[in-house]
Amino acid sequence: MSTSSRGVLDQPVCIIGAGVAGLINAHVLLQDGFTNVTLLTRDASVGGVWARERVYPGLYINNVHGEYRFSCLEMPPPERSDATGGRLTGIAMRDYVEKFYETHLKGKAHFSFQTEVLGIERRRASPAGPSIWSVRIKDLPSGQVREENFARIILATGGCSNPQVPPYLSEAAVSGAGYQGLVFHTSQFSTKLDEVLELVKPRVNANGPEDERVVVIGGGKSAQDVCAKLANEGRRVTIVFDRTDVFLASPDPIPDFARKSRFLSILHPHRVLKTRLERFLHTTWLGGKVVHAVMDLLSATSYKAYNIPLDSPFRRAHSLFWSVRLSDDGAVRSDSFYSLIGAGAIDVVAPHRVKGYSTDGSGVTLDDGTTLSAKVVVLATGYQSSWTDIFTKETVEEIGFGKHAPTLPIEDNWRYSSMKDGPKPHPDSRQWTTTIYRGIVPAKNLLHRDFAIAGALFTANPGYTNEVVAHWISSYFQNDRMNIPKTTEEVLVEAEKESVWMKIRFPDMLSWVNDSYSTSLDFWTWPQAADELLEDMGVSPQRSGGGWFTWPFKIVDTKELSTLGEERRALRSAHRRK
């Protein structure tokens, strides 16, 4: 190992966030020889979304067994695995990340729990000298504020992790209306659950008293999870939404060759079509028909699985093909949200919007003037960027982190047949763009190799994707030879093309991505996106194998990444001998 390489490995690295992405990045860095790795988290335990203080019994997530596992640690099958198709629970995820921490990271990386990041600034001792990342942090129990310096930063807080509450539902609105009930965002549900169950008595008949009710505002996955939990606890709960997410469901568990393979991914177009089958599906008239026939069949099967009526507001969902907002329910369960809807255990007020809190202080007012009385109001109003408040404007400008006016036209240069006659890009999409290369590095900062983003790639397989990203970041930090743009001008163009693709591919998602700086929405096409990152590192992509007919149905398993570190080290050695 060269002296310069040893110097990089000994320099301090800060990972902000101790969720799934932060943990696997720390592990890969340590395996690669980095000796000074610090993780900062505002939580009291590891896990991020799946931290001990956030999960609760009865919470099911969108993923099945194997999709949140890392190659270095097996995950035991969850409870009722045979009946649910291996559906993961929040408790199972909590246990897994805590075991990962205990097994691979405790005592090896430095963890600073209950630590809030107040600000991040890049500083230089001289204009031509190396940069230092100054991180201002606050110890939450003591309130003490201090600064620490690092050579490299990995931002692993997720693209959108701060609760978003519209002004008309804010604390000020609560006070202004004189509402006396309990109000909180879904991010606080686990910590507020016992209080809710104490405030709202169990329903004793089909309706129950009007005021013995919880109103949940929003129609996404978090809203549905809250409603299901409260209904299963015997409480009266009403969900209010204008439009909900599309969902996948089936009477029986989907076979692994379809659920855990590339089958669903190739039915969705990627910005680069690399196989004959993908080109057939997305560039021919017949292929486009096949794609949408399968998507329509999946939607119809899901509605039929739960007997959703044709006039139900749940059919006003985002498109399965044109959206990444998906609730994957898997096999039908009697305690699931849609089963409880069918049983009348959850009241539905839709399509409607909540205008604010009622003037009599009893609950909320709908867009038609109706008042819903409630002892508790839960805001499932989404999340916003967790990054904007912690970087100085100068740093944002220097590394190219923020949104800016586009330099490329928002035009469909792909012209895929599978995307013909789709929704048009929102007019606002022409006013801004982002340039985050691969959704990992701000393009303007690519050549510095001292800053990366982890956990902001939207993916259906977080375990596989985050592990590949962690290896990519480690190679990037070590100045490995990589197949990435060589100039700032080149990477800026490439990153903006990715942003244009996102707007063309998911035009209905603009309001959802408006507060996110990631340009990667490879939810469906995560295997193709992971292959691109593997190719960047010079290692083999499409590692699940298979023949000309069988490859779309081969199970993609994170075990195939177990030798990735060794492969990268071998390449590094070979390059240095030349």
Side-chain angles (χ1 to χ4, degrees):
M1 182 178 296
S2 68
T3 303
S4 61
S5 299
R6 184 69 263 168
V8 169
L9 297 178
D10 288 338
Q11 293 171 354
V13 179
C14 177
I15 300 175
I16 301 170
V20 168
L23 297 181
I24 189 60
N25 270 272
H27 172 67
V28 170
L29 291 177
L30 292 171
Q31 292 297 108
D32 277 0
F34 283 82
T35 61
N36 192 344
V37 179
T38 297
L39 293 92
L40 307 177
T41 174
R42 72 181 75 169
D43 298 327
S45 60
V46 298
V49 175
W50 313 120
R52 180 167 291 271
E53 54 264 40
R54 289 199 176 92
V55 299
Y56 51 89
L59 172 64
Y60 284 88
I61 71 175
N62 271 339
N63 299 88
V64 296
H65 183 250
E67 292 178 340
Y68 250 113
R69 187 186 69 214
F70 297 131
S71 64
C72 60
L73 183 66
E74 287 290 339
M75 176 186 283
E79 295 181 6
R80 301 172 59 196
S81 186
D82 291 340
T84 65
R87 183 67 38 183
L88 289 175
T89 65
I91 299 297
M93 278 304 308
R94 177 203 67 191
D95 293 345
Y96 183 75
V97 294
E98 289 183 352
K99 184 177 181 181
F100 187 89
Y101 162 72
E102 293 284 343
T103 305
H104 294 290
L105 295 174
K106 190 175 182 180
K108 300 173 184 177
H110 173 68
F111 282 78
S112 186
F113 294 105
Q114 294 183 284
T115 300
E116 184 173 2
V117 175
L118 302 177
I120 302 174
E121 182 180 3
R122 175 191 259 164
R123 296 174 180 171
R124 280 189 171 87
S126 64
S131 61
I132 292 294
W133 292 97
S134 177
V135 182
R136 192 162 62 95
I137 56 181
K138 179 180 181 180
D139 178 72
L140 295 177
S142 68
Q144 181 181 359
V145 176
R146 67 184 189 276
E147 282 192 4
E148 294 191 11
N149 294 328
F150 301 92
R152 288 166 183 80
I153 294 281
I154 297 177
L155 190 59
T157 59
C160 292
S161 59
N162 283 349
Q164 183 176 46
V165 177
Y168 58 89
L169 294 174
S170 65
E171 290 184 12
V174 173
S175 300
Y179 177 61
Q180 300 299 312
L182 177 65
V183 180
F184 59 89
H185 190 269
T186 49
S187 58
Q188 300 174 281
F189 182 65
S190 178
T191 58
K192 296 287 187 181
L193 178 57
D194 289 343
E195 186 177 357
V196 173
L197 297 181
E198 180 65 28
L199 280 172
V200 182
K201 305 307 179 188
R203 65 195 303 173
V204 294
N205 53 48
N207 294 316
E210 279 290 320
D211 61 345
E212 288 288 341
R213 168 168 53 190
V214 179
V215 169
V216 179
I217 302 171
K221 177 73 164 61
S222 296
Q224 295 176 11
D225 289 339
V226 168
C227 289
K229 175 61 177 177
L230 294 174
N232 282 318
E233 292 287 346
R235 269 53 176 188
R236 184 179 184 187
V237 58
T238 299
I239 185 170
V240 184
F241 63 87
D242 177 52
R243 194 176 183 188
T244 188
D245 296 344
V246 66
F247 71 96
L248 284 177
S250 58
D252 301 300
I254 299 174
D256 284 353
F257 72 82
R259 183 65 177 78
K260 298 182 179 181
S261 68
R262 295 171 180 261
F263 170 67
L264 287 176
S265 74
I266 64 173
L267 292 172
H268 291 265
H270 192 57
R271 54 185 171 271
V272 179
L273 305 176
K274 294 191 174 181
T275 67
R276 291 181 180 180
L277 181 54
E278 288 174 288
R279 288 192 288 272
F280 164 73
L281 290 172
H282 301 293
T283 65
T284 69
W285 175 86
L286 180 58
K289 293 293 184 182
V290 169
V291 165
H292 287 282
V294 174
M295 290 294 104
D296 291 344
L297 177 62
L298 288 173
S299 294
T301 300
S302 301
Y303 290 132
K304 185 177 180 180
Y306 280 111
N307 298 313
I308 305 295
L310 291 175
D311 60 351
S312 169
F314 291 104
R315 287 184 179 256
R316 293 186 71 250
H318 298 275
S319 164
L320 187 59
F321 180 81
W322 292 104
S323 176
V324 295
R325 294 194 59 159
L326 170 71
S327 180
D328 187 352
D329 270 38
V332 170
R333 309 186 318 273
S334 60
D335 59 351
S336 72
F337 174 78
Y338 287 101
S339 287
L340 293 164
I341 290 288
I346 298 173
D347 302 327
V348 179
V349 177
H352 279 289
R353 292 181 180 272
V354 171
K355 292 177 58 179
Y357 301 99
S358 58
T359 54
D360 63 1
S362 67
V364 297
T365 302
L366 304 182
D367 48 7
D368 63 356
T370 303
T371 294
L372 291 179
S373 298
K375 282 193 171 180
V376 178
V377 175
V378 182
L379 307 176
T381 47
Y383 293 83
Q384 59 188 339
S385 173
S386 56
W387 305 339
T388 52
D389 296 333
I390 60 176
F391 289 91
T392 64
K393 292 182 179 179
E394 293 77 13
T395 299
V396 169
E397 174 61 28
E398 183 180 357
I399 67 175
F401 203 23
K403 296 171 184 174
H404 56 84
T407 62
L408 298 178
I410 311 300
E411 294 179 354
D412 184 4
N413 297 312
W414 293 267
R415 303 186 186 282
Y416 292 155
S417 58
S418 61
M419 293 170 56
K420 186 178 180 181
D421 301 325
K424 300 301 180 185
H426 195 285
D428 290 350
S429 68
R430 303 180 186 278
Q431 299 177 10
W432 60 268
T433 191
T434 56
T435 46
I436 313 292
Y437 182 71
R438 299 286 199 234
I440 302 175
V441 180
K444 194 175 178 180
N445 197 64
L446 184 74
L447 303 184
H448 292 276
R449 297 204 179 207
D450 65 350
F451 180 88
I453 303 166
L457 277 70
F458 206 58
T459 171
N461 192 317
Y464 195 102
T465 299
N466 281 307
E467 187 161 344
V468 171
V469 169
H471 282 277
W472 193 100
I473 291 174
S474 185
S475 286
Y476 173 69
F477 279 177
Q478 294 181 73
N479 296 304
D480 287 352
R481 187 181 300 178
M482 300 177 73
N483 300 314
I484 60 178
K486 301 298 189 293
T487 68
T488 300
E489 293 74 20
E490 184 183 353
V491 70
L492 283 170
V493 171
E494 185 64 28
E496 191 165 345
K497 285 181 180 178
E498 293 178 7
S499 183
V500 171
W501 163 254
M502 179 185 72
K503 295 173 183 179
I504 297 296
R505 177 64 186 90
F506 299 110
D508 202 28
M509 298 299 295
L510 180 74
S511 61
W512 187 78
V513 302
N514 201 34
D515 289 306
S516 172
Y517 288 115
S518 172
T519 58
S520 174
L521 287 178
D522 287 301
F523 177 80
W524 295 104
T525 55
W526 65 267
Q528 294 96 313
D531 285 344
E532 287 181 332
L533 297 177
L534 293 168
E535 290 172 343
D536 285 350
M537 291 182 275
V539 297
S540 299
Q542 202 167 324
R543 303 163 83 89
S544 48
W548 70 273
F549 178 74
T550 60
W551 71 266
F553 305 102
K554 297 288 288 185
I555 295 173
V556 181
D557 195 311
T558 51
K559 290 180 180 178
E560 65 194 45
L561 303 176
S562 61
T563 61
L564 191 50
E566 298 171 17
E567 296 170 45
R568 291 169 43 242
R569 283 188 284 275
L571 277 174
R572 190 178 306 122
S573 297
H575 288 152
R576 286 170 180 164
R577 285 196 298 267
K578 292 181 180 179

